[in-house]
Amino acid sequence: MTRSSRIPGFYKLSLEERRTKLAEDLGIELATLVAPTLDEETANHMVENVVGVYGLPLGIALNFQVNGTDYLVPMCVEEPSVIAAASNAAKMIREGGGFQAEADDPIMISQVQLDAVHDTLAATQAIDAHAAEIIRMADAAYPSLVARGGGCRGIEVRTLRRSTKNEPGMLAVHLYVDVRDAMGANLVNTIAEAVAPRLGELADADVGLRILSNLADRRCVRVTCRVPAKCLATDGHSGDEVRDGIVAASRFAELDPYRAATHNKGIMNGVDAVVIATGNDWRGVEAGAHAYAADKGENGGYGPLATWRVADDGSGDLVGRIELPMAVGTVGGTLRVHPGARLALKILGVERASELGIIMACAGMASNMAALRALASEGIQKGHMSLHARSLALHVGATGELVDRVAEEMSRLGDVRAEVAQQILERLRGANGRGHKHSVGGAS
Ligand code: NAD
């Protein structure tokens, strides 16, 4: 069914109403949406020494349109404002025609370390001469992958340390494997182990590690977007001012790794939330993203994954671009075991891993734009603080409507601290000094 990601007023609905609306829009059973948590029995089989199940909020980011298709984007995250900010930015990007995105083929890199190589040149030549044989061996190690249209696409020998008369060298052999819709770590590890003995023989070397590289730079996603400047306006700041502020913030990140780290953290707010919601390996995605960013700075060092400019067509639009590796799957690993992950994939309506990676990058781009827009106008604290105020209200024990009342009062006072929340809560409860006591961060 064609789904729309525009659901005006979704945030104003109760949790129950949101579920009902989502079930109706997606044409799925309400019950499927009610209990997407992992049961203890399944958890006990997933990892070791299990003593319980840990929960995270699951929310839906709205307004996403990617290559002309609408997506409701499930996000799992503990940090307030991430989902609202991504939805808000996606709405502005939608005004400019939505996200335009493409993904590389799902090529993962399998590494075989060859150590104690006495003649690195001869070893490289021997492996190159037998490349076709190695590729055949790799494919034979995973026939079901080949049957699905995947398999080994190539081989490359990298010299990490050249051999000399006095010292043996080290090689890393890369197998480039199309893993189709899997994240692919286990797949390529199996392949590395299958071909490693023959590689060791050809190179007359000791076989070392046989494992994937998380720098999945052959499996990148690229997204561009454009936002009419007028959509960026905030209270007190014109759209042109905010756009120029976003571009200046991008330049800051391009020139300074200290800023780039925070810029990229904001991107990963969006990326990771979708990675976690869909049961994917967020450590792998994080490792890949930061390794990829390691030479993206203008001065050659760590730099931003997303950059922002004024369009050069005279429109005055803001244009953004993001590129990062996206090693994620829609099959394999534990993601089909986790009911929350299955639900998230159903909400998204994606089958292909490349499509999923694209949506994650779009969520990252939207998160980045939202953060830069706030920073370039009123500053991040205003928006953050009102959400932080709600967290503090909950933390000191407010429930029901008291959560909003305590948060609003702190925002009005411009003083968002746990002890203030506590005082307001006690006052509102009419039990000053006698109410529920809670000590936070040294305040009691
Ligand atoms: P996997 O081992 O489950 O392999 C994928 C399975 O899905 C294969 O059996 C394959 O035949 C099957 N499959 C069904 N339909 C498919 C399709 N359309 N395309 C591709 N395969 C299809 O999982 P994986 O993706 O190889 O490995 C992912 C897991 O490995 C994750 O749990 C990850 O955390 C873990 N891991 C990660 C690292 C790392 O990142 N460094 C290292 C080791 C393990």
Side-chain angles (χ1 to χ4, degrees):
M1 81 192 289
T2 339
R3 58 188 68 179
S4 168
S5 64
R6 290 276 302 120
I7 312 182
F10 192 62
Y11 71 99
K12 291 188 202 146
L13 302 179
S14 69
L15 194 153
E16 282 309 320
E17 289 167 337
R18 280 189 213 121
R19 270 192 191 137
T20 308
K21 173 79 184 133
L22 202 58
E24 276 169 19
D25 282 15
L26 296 174
I28 60 177
E29 295 258 325
L30 183 61
T32 328
L33 286 167
V34 175
T37 42
L38 191 61
D39 64 276
E40 289 194 346
E41 181 58 22
T42 311
N44 200 22
H45 288 105
M46 282 171 77
V47 298
E48 311 74 40
N49 298 354
V50 170
V51 293
V53 174
Y54 180 95
L56 277 176
L58 169 67
I60 306 289
L62 303 176
N63 307 319
F64 277 74
Q65 190 172 73
V66 186
N67 293 338
T69 300
D70 273 27
Y71 295 92
L72 290 160
V73 182
M75 295 178 103
C76 256
V77 64
E78 87 296 347
E79 187 177 343
S81 94
V82 169
I83 299 171
S87 303
N88 197 17
K91 192 168 165 196
M92 293 174 213
I93 291 167
R94 198 183 174 91
E95 292 289 316
F99 300 89
Q100 308 302 319
E102 58 170 34
D104 290 336
D105 284 343
I107 303 287
M108 293 298 283
I109 301 171
S110 186
Q111 290 197 298
V112 177
Q113 177 196 16
L114 296 176
D115 210 350
V117 188
H118 290 287
D119 185 341
T120 40
L121 187 60
T124 304
Q125 286 169 346
I127 294 170
D128 282 345
H130 291 80
E133 177 198 334
I134 301 292
I135 291 171
R136 273 196 306 277
M137 283 178 85
D139 283 345
Y142 234 114
S144 62
L145 184 61
V146 178
R148 289 195 174 89
C152 187
R153 300 287 185 251
I155 177 168
E156 185 184 3
V157 185
R158 296 171 55 239
T159 305
L160 302 185
R161 194 182 63 229
R162 204 177 287 280
S163 56
T164 63
K165 250 191 282 176
N166 304 322
E167 203 192 1
M170 188 191 292
L171 301 175
V173 182
H174 282 193
L175 296 145
Y176 298 115
V177 183
D178 184 327
V179 296
R180 299 282 85 199
D181 296 311
M183 182 267 186
N186 291 325
L187 287 174
V188 305
N189 293 347
T190 303
I191 289 172
E193 290 183 10
V195 301
R198 179 67 177 133
L199 289 172
E201 204 174 272
L202 288 166
D204 189 18
D206 292 350
V207 172
L209 305 189
R210 298 148 297 161
I211 184 136
L212 86 157
S213 167
N214 282 109
L215 176 50
D217 60 359
R218 304 244 167 164
R219 197 181 186 179
C220 280
V221 168
R222 281 165 289 280
V223 186
T224 58
C225 71
R226 137 186 312 261
V227 185
K230 64 176 182 348
C231 301
L232 296 165
T234 61
D235 285 349
H237 297 272
S238 74
D240 286 359
E241 276 170 358
V242 177
R243 175 203 60 206
D244 293 345
I246 292 174
V247 173
S250 176
R251 295 295 299 140
F252 184 8
E254 290 159 42
L255 292 164
D256 180 16
Y258 287 90
R259 174 56 211 158
T262 323
H263 182 100
N264 288 344
K265 190 277 179 183
I267 292 172
M268 300 316 284
N269 272 346
V271 173
D272 285 339
V274 188
V275 174
I276 293 170
T278 55
N280 271 284
D281 183 338
W282 73 92
R283 290 85 55 207
V285 172
E286 280 281 339
H290 296 291
Y292 194 70
D295 65 354
K296 294 290 175 281
E298 195 156 301
N299 299 321
Y302 185 88
L305 295 163
T307 52
W308 300 89
R309 290 289 183 275
V310 181
D312 58 11
D313 58 6
S315 63
D317 291 351
L318 174 73
V319 289
R321 183 174 193 282
I322 189 170
E323 180 175 40
L324 77 167
M326 206 49 87
V328 292
T330 52
V331 296
T334 47
L335 61 89
R336 292 280 174 189
V337 178
H338 194 296
R342 284 202 305 271
L343 173 66
L345 287 172
K346 195 176 242 178
I347 292 171
L348 270 171
V350 300
E351 295 281 333
R352 300 276 79 86
S354 51
E355 193 181 356
L356 179 59
I358 279 176
I359 292 159
M360 289 166 176
C362 293
M365 186 172 217
S367 299
N368 184 228
M369 195 191 96
L372 297 187
R373 177 170 176 259
L375 284 164
S377 48
E378 74 263 25
I380 205 89
Q381 282 311 77
K382 191 174 163 209
H384 252 217
M385 275 318 195
S386 65
L387 289 154
H388 181 50
R390 285 177 56 84
S391 303
L392 280 183
L394 285 165
H395 186 60
V396 298
T399 50
E401 62 161 18
L402 282 178
V403 179
D404 281 337
R405 288 180 64 193
V406 171
E408 276 160 21
E409 182 65 6
M410 274 194 287
S411 298
R412 196 186 61 75
L413 292 170
D415 193 353
V416 183
R417 289 176 298 136
E419 53 267 49
V420 179
Q422 181 71 54
Q423 284 158 11
I424 298 169
L425 180 62
E426 284 173 2
R427 180 160 46 75
L428 288 175
R429 279 181 172 156
N432 206 357
R434 283 175 292 117
H436 170 77
K437 283 272 180 202
H438 202 108
S439 114
V440 190
S444 56

